[in-house]
Amino acid sequence: MPSIKQDRVAENIRMILSELLLREVSDPRLHNITVTDVTIDPELMFARVYINALGDESRHDEVMAALKKAKGFLRREVAKRVHLRSVPDLGFFWDETLERAERLNSLFSSLHIPPEDKKPG
């Protein structure tokens, strides 16, 4: 279970990265992406950053390539804004939660479940 400090640092990094991607990154491949979650290890050395392109799974490869290219810039900017002795290394991961939820909803809606027979009594 993450500590309060891990949660606080992870949320701070999530907000900083969201702001950077919204306002300061000029790469068009990174427009309209969302930082859905950040988790950080107990030593605060590595942050797993989960992103999604607002349900557009077809952009996965281009977004991940752009994040790989922008990683140094993003880490430097996080370092300027977060107050830690050392800034965690950022690892970017595609968040498949939305895609899974859509698949499940599709499966549930395609199920044909006959109504239950009501017996008097």
Side-chain angles (χ1 to χ4, degrees):
M1 187 162 151
S3 71
I4 293 171
K5 183 172 184 176
Q6 281 174 272
D7 286 342
R8 191 175 63 236
V9 170
E11 180 60 19
N12 196 8
I13 290 173
R14 188 191 66 76
M15 290 187 321
I16 292 167
L17 288 173
S18 294
E19 185 73 21
L20 288 169
L21 291 168
L22 183 65
R23 304 199 192 289
E24 296 186 33
V25 173
S26 60
D27 190 331
R29 298 175 295 177
L30 295 177
H31 290 177
N32 296 322
I33 69 166
T34 302
V35 179
T36 57
D37 194 20
V38 174
T39 59
I40 196 159
D41 70 319
E43 292 81 28
L44 307 178
M45 296 301 294
F46 186 77
R48 294 176 65 96
V49 181
Y50 295 91
I51 56 96
N52 195 290
L54 302 174
D56 187 358
E57 306 301 322
S58 65
R59 294 182 52 207
H60 173 273
D61 293 339
E62 74 178 33
V63 168
M64 296 309 287
L67 285 169
K68 185 176 181 180
K69 184 177 177 188
K71 181 178 177 175
F73 166 77
L74 293 171
R75 187 166 187 234
R76 274 191 309 277
E77 292 301 313
V78 167
K80 290 178 189 176
R81 294 167 169 85
V82 75
H83 304 291
L84 293 172
R85 189 172 300 138
S86 66
V87 178
D89 187 29
L90 304 176
F92 293 98
F93 300 88
W94 191 260
D95 187 349
E96 296 177 356
T97 306
L98 293 173
E99 181 185 5
R100 277 194 220 124
E102 286 178 24
R103 274 199 315 255
L104 284 173
N105 282 337
S106 175
L107 283 171
F108 288 140
S109 64
S110 70
L111 291 175
H112 176 68
I113 301 172
E116 187 176 315
D117 288 338
K118 303 253 180 186
K119 294 183 181 177

